[in-house]
Amino acid sequence: MTILLGLSGALAYGFADFLGGLASRSIRPIVATAWAALIGLVPLVVGLAVLGGQFTANALLWGAVAGVSGSVGVLMLYTALAVGPMSVLSPVTSVVSVIVPVSIGLIFAGSRLSALGATAMIVAVIAVALVGAVKDRSGSRLTGRGLLTAAISGCGFGGLVLAYAATSPDEGLAPLVVARIVQAVVMWIGVAVVIGRERRRQAPATTLSPGRSGKLWLQLAICGTLDASANVLIQAALHSGATADVLPVVSVLNALYPIGTVILAAVVLRERLTLLQIVGLALALAASAVLATT
């Protein structure tokens, strides 16, 4: 069940990223992310009304931490990809997002791994790097700033997983609702900052709304819903067993989200997978199968 929930969450994240990427071709990425964050609050509130949840102090604390961590991850990822080669910095972000929660789980939370399980996780991390490796056509140079920003982004995504792991099953969707509210607020503050900079530079104003484009609104709606669903699935995976034991596994599975993105890109946009990505997909499936049996 942990493997199923974790992989489903990773695929949902990947699908959401793909749709967010499509929407970002028409409006600024940060605006698309802000709308997706706001729209994603709707299914979470509905789920909270149906399934219930408790807004305890713990839920408020870790929900807020998750919201801030996720926001830092997204904003720093955009910054990294703007200043350096995507083919290097995107995999760096994914790998760091694995290393942070796995290390904390093994060192401080008492996580245990068999030799076979540890090997499978190492293979999965390699798969993450291969799947996320795409040919960069921008001509950007790799810099220390780019690497640092990508690493901070990975820490943000890793912190999101750790925050959800610290929540209680009894709190239900309450921490997720708090996280989504915080993320939406942070993203719209980011939009306001961008608008302020453009006004000072007298640059063309940022488009804040997709307008009457039904296709663009649909992309954002599905993106926000999938992203919210991914959070639910990852939290459920973390609560599917003893937290200390499932944390490393879920962290690795969560970082496989590029799989969903490249699959949709291949199906919808007819983008051809590179040999490295095909090898990465095969390794990811093999590692997941091994983890499911250990």
Side-chain angles (χ1 to χ4, degrees), residues 55-237:
F55 287 93
T56 62
N58 186 72
L60 294 174
L61 171 62
W62 292 111
V65 171
V68 172
S69 295
S71 299
V72 169
V74 171
L75 293 174
M76 290 297 100
L77 177 61
Y78 285 160
T79 302
L81 299 184
V83 300
M86 182 184 298
S87 57
V88 176
L89 299 182
S90 182
V92 167
T93 296
S94 298
V95 172
V96 173
S97 73
V98 175
I99 293 175
V100 170
V102 169
S103 300
I104 291 179
L106 292 174
I107 297 173
F108 299 106
S111 300
R112 295 169 295 177
L113 290 174
S114 65
L116 184 59
T119 301
M121 290 184 62
I122 293 174
V123 171
V125 171
I126 295 173
V128 169
L130 294 178
V131 171
V134 294
K135 187 176 181 179
D136 185 78
R137 297 180 174 87
S138 66
S140 301
R141 295 176 56 188
L142 182 63
T143 63
R145 178 191 173 192
L147 285 173
L148 178 61
T149 307
I152 294 174
S153 173
C155 290
F157 291 132
L160 177 71
V161 174
L162 288 171
Y164 285 151
T167 63
S168 168
D170 296 333
E171 292 162 353
L173 297 183
L176 302 184
V177 172
V178 173
R180 181 62 52 164
I181 292 173
V182 170
Q183 185 176 10
V185 170
V186 171
M187 288 301 169
W188 282 106
I189 290 175
V191 171
V193 171
V194 170
I195 293 175
R197 288 179 177 176
E198 290 175 348
R199 287 178 176 174
R200 287 194 295 271
R201 297 174 182 174
Q202 296 183 341
T206 292
T207 302
L208 296 180
S209 170
R212 297 182 179 180
S213 175
K215 182 179 180 181
L216 188 52
W217 277 116
L218 180 61
Q219 290 172 351
L220 291 172
I222 298 176
C223 174
T225 301
L226 283 172
D227 187 65
S229 300
N231 281 270
V232 174
L233 290 166
I234 292 300
Q235 186 197 45

Side-chain angles (χ1 to χ4, degrees), residues 240-251:
S240 62
T243 301
D245 294 335
V246 303
L247 177 58
V249 175
V250 175
S251 299

Side-chain angles (χ1 to χ4, degrees), residues 31-53:
V31 175
T33 304
W35 276 113
L38 189 61
I39 293 171
L41 184 60
V42 176
L44 288 177
V45 171
V46 173
L48 180 66
V50 175
L51 302 175

